[in-house]
Amino acid sequence: MKPGLSLLVLFFIWIWLTTQLLEYIVPGLVNKIIFTSLRYVGVFLLPPSWVGFCYQYTTRKNKNAYLILVISSIIPVMALILTFTNAFHGIIWENIYLHENRIKVVKEFTIFYYIFLSYVYLHIISGLVILISMTIRKPHFQRRQTIILFITAFIPDISLLTILIS
């Protein structure tokens, strides 16, 4: 079987984690803002990829999975554009400054960010619901595999929430 959307999911996780690390490592507020903005490429595009992957994993229908990915990525791409142009309009965050420890960037988010955050979590939950529905319908040996995937997906979702809010 082709890897399909699983590679895309892993790619966005890699972008998210690498840019998060680089944000903490690089000196200066301007550099940290660049990596903060780049981090949202992974964070915003991971949930639509996740839903497409879950659909692909449960149904083995590649064409529909890619269609789901494209349609559900429209709002995240718009949010990415707003993130990269935030200095001009302040729609995503109103204020951004360097924390007193000089490692972390502190952002004062607007209501639009929290609305989009709800959209992101709706996608994550949708993917988990797709996995649960498969677990209920499939034979015992496939249930174990899906339960393991569900557990390994659920743990990072909790950490994603804490990072997105901070």
Side-chain angles (χ1 to χ4, degrees):
M1 184 172 106
K2 294 180 182 177
L5 292 176
S6 61
L7 286 179
L8 195 59
V9 169
L10 291 174
F11 176 70
F12 288 133
I13 290 171
W14 176 80
I15 288 176
W16 165 35
L17 296 177
T18 303
T19 53
Q20 178 78 37
L21 177 66
L22 289 171
E23 176 190 333
Y24 290 149
I25 292 174
V26 298
L29 181 61
V30 174
N31 294 331
K32 290 182 183 294
I33 291 173
I34 290 169
F35 284 111
T36 295
S37 298
L38 288 173
R39 180 180 74 194
Y40 288 111
V41 171
V43 171
F44 288 169
L45 294 176
L46 177 61
S49 303
W50 168 248
V51 171
F53 164 73
C54 290
Y55 181 81
Q56 186 180 50
Y57 178 79
T58 57
T59 64
R60 307 280 193 236
K61 295 181 181 175
N62 286 332
K63 184 179 178 184
N64 292 348
Y66 287 106
L67 183 64
I68 289 170
L69 172 66
V70 169
I71 290 171
S72 63
S73 294
I74 293 171
I75 292 176
V77 167
M78 290 178 2
L80 277 174
I81 292 168
L82 291 174
T83 300
F84 285 112
T85 60
N86 192 70
F88 301 110
H89 48 69
I91 291 177
I92 301 294
W93 56 75
E94 294 173 339
N95 192 12
I96 187 166
Y97 56 92
L98 200 54
H99 191 271
E100 60 190 32
N101 65 12
R102 307 199 56 79
I103 295 174
K104 185 178 179 182
V105 173
V106 178
K107 299 171 276 298
E108 296 173 3
F109 292 111
T110 64
I111 189 71
F112 178 79
Y113 176 81
Y114 292 106
I115 290 169
F116 183 72
L117 187 65
S118 302
Y119 179 82
V120 165
Y121 267 90
L122 179 66
H123 275 76
I124 292 171
I125 292 168
S126 298
L128 294 175
V129 166
I130 291 170
L131 288 177
I132 290 170
S133 67
M134 179 191 174
T135 305
I136 293 169
R137 294 181 292 149
K138 296 296 179 178
H140 182 67
F141 71 93
Q142 288 179 332
R143 285 185 192 171
R144 281 186 273 151
Q145 189 178 27
T146 306
I147 289 171
I148 290 170
L149 181 61
F150 179 81
I151 291 170
T152 57
F154 187 69
I155 293 170
D157 291 344
I158 294 171
S159 65
L160 177 63
L161 176 64
T162 59
I163 289 174
L164 285 174
I165 291 176
S166 67

